[in-house]
Structure formats: C-alpha cells, structure tokens
Amino acid sequence: LIEKNSVTRYSNMIKEENDRLKMMVDALLNTAALEKSEFNLTKEKIDLHELILFSASKFENIINQKNGKINLELNASRAVITGDKFHLTNIMNNLIDSAIKYNEKPPEIKISTRDENKAIIIIVKDNGIGISREHLFKIFETFYRVSSGNIQNVRGNGIGLSYAKKIVETL
C-alpha cells in the first residue's frame, strides 16, 4: 500500500507541474497574440497586494521544499489599480517561478511595493544566479534565454520576460 503522505506529496508535485505547464502555455499563446496585435486586455480594478499574496501562496509548497522563503513588504498606500488581473497574475507568477528556477541555494525572494508619485513600484528581488550585464539588453526579446550556468534541468522557453514587458507596455 502507498502511504497517504506519499500520495499527497506526489499529488502536490503533479499539481505544481500542471500549474507550471499551464503558465507556460498561456504565456506562449498570449505572446503569439501580442506579436500579431490580436490582443484584448480586460481592464478592471485590482488590488495589487491581494494579487501578490495570491501568487506567492501558489509557490508556498515548492518554496518550503527548497527551504526557502518569500518575504513581502507591501508598503504602497494605493494598491488598487486598473489592469488585467489574469495577465498581471501571470507576470507575477513568472517572476516568482524564475526566482525559484534560477537559484542554486534555498530561494529567498523579496517582493515589495511602494508609492512613487502617482505610480506603484513593484520590486521582485531574489538571491538567484543573476544575469550578467552582457545579456541584460536582450532579456526582453521573445525566446531569448541566458545560459543557466551550472543549474541543471532548468525549464524555460524565453517568453516570460518578453510577455511581461508587452503586457505592462500595453496597460
């Protein structure tokens, strides 16, 4: 008989991989739509802090498995914006996922918000491998991927940051 803990663990792993695959397919389809200018955003009032909390909670299991942590410093006083909740959630998920994937240590991710003039600044900072200066100007190109160094089996397709940039520019 399979232990209940094993079934739960494997079920969680399957769910996490399914969620990751869904994020990748959604990002690819949306990037293709953006490239063809066949894209409609559904703008609505969104509480960015709630969105960030929701995204961070989706990665709780994998962060715990890697002995990592996500620190939130949500200090923006005006966290409600007008935007596309689906796509902004995908962007936050992509950023957190990358902070976990491109890390050789237990991930330490800090997500913070602050007011700046009439805008909200969102900062996602991590202790991962980073990106060298020579690659920075290309990271928003569709399908561009920086070599992952010594990290093995890093899944990716080079569309996450390109997708994020296009959505933010469209909003």
Side-chain angles (χ1 to χ4, degrees):
L1 292 176
I2 300 175
E3 292 182 32
K4 186 177 180 180
N5 288 343
S6 294
V7 171
T8 301
R9 190 174 95 233
Y10 288 123
S11 295
N12 286 337
M13 289 171 64
I14 290 168
K15 183 185 180 324
E16 287 168 8
E17 290 304 312
N18 186 49
D19 289 345
R20 190 182 320 272
L21 181 59
K22 182 184 180 318
M23 273 183 0
M24 185 173 71
V25 170
D26 287 343
L28 182 58
L29 292 173
N30 290 321
T31 299
L34 279 170
E35 295 285 331
K36 292 182 177 184
S37 299
E38 299 171 356
F39 202 76
N40 293 321
L41 295 176
T42 304
K43 293 185 179 180
E44 59 184 302
K45 295 285 184 192
I46 302 166
D47 185 321
L48 270 179
H49 290 167
E50 286 179 12
L51 186 147
I52 292 167
L53 288 166
F54 175 76
S55 290
S57 71
K58 286 181 70 172
F59 291 91
E60 194 172 306
N61 284 339
I62 194 162
I63 286 285
N64 289 336
Q65 289 170 6
K66 294 178 176 276
N67 296 316
K69 59 185 171 185
I70 297 180
N71 295 313
L72 302 175
E73 293 183 11
L74 307 178
N75 297 318
S77 62
R78 300 174 313 264
V80 177
I81 64 162
T82 301
D84 188 297
K85 187 174 186 175
F86 173 78
H87 294 292
L88 290 173
T89 301
N90 279 344
I91 291 169
M92 186 56 58
N93 290 343
N94 284 338
L95 294 173
I96 295 170
D97 185 54
S98 291
I100 295 168
K101 277 194 307 194
Y102 295 100
N103 203 323
E104 297 171 323
K105 303 174 263 190
E108 293 180 20
I109 304 166
K110 178 181 172 186
I111 304 172
S112 59
T113 64
R114 72 173 195 272
D115 298 317
E116 186 166 299
N117 300 321
K118 293 183 179 183
I120 298 173
I121 304 297
I122 303 170
I123 299 170
V124 179
K125 191 174 183 180
D126 64 72
N127 65 332
I129 62 172
I131 301 170
S132 68
R133 287 195 185 279
E134 66 191 69
H135 294 285
L136 283 178
F137 71 98
K138 292 183 176 185
I139 63 172
F140 293 106
E141 292 178 12
T142 306
F143 302 118
Y144 182 79
R145 290 195 67 207
V146 176
S147 171
S148 60
N150 293 329
I151 295 181
Q152 302 299 314
N153 299 321
V154 173
R155 294 173 302 252
N157 48 37
I159 60 174
L161 291 177
S162 171
Y163 165 72
K165 181 177 187 240
K166 287 175 181 159
I167 293 295
V168 170
E169 288 175 344
T170 305
L171 288 172

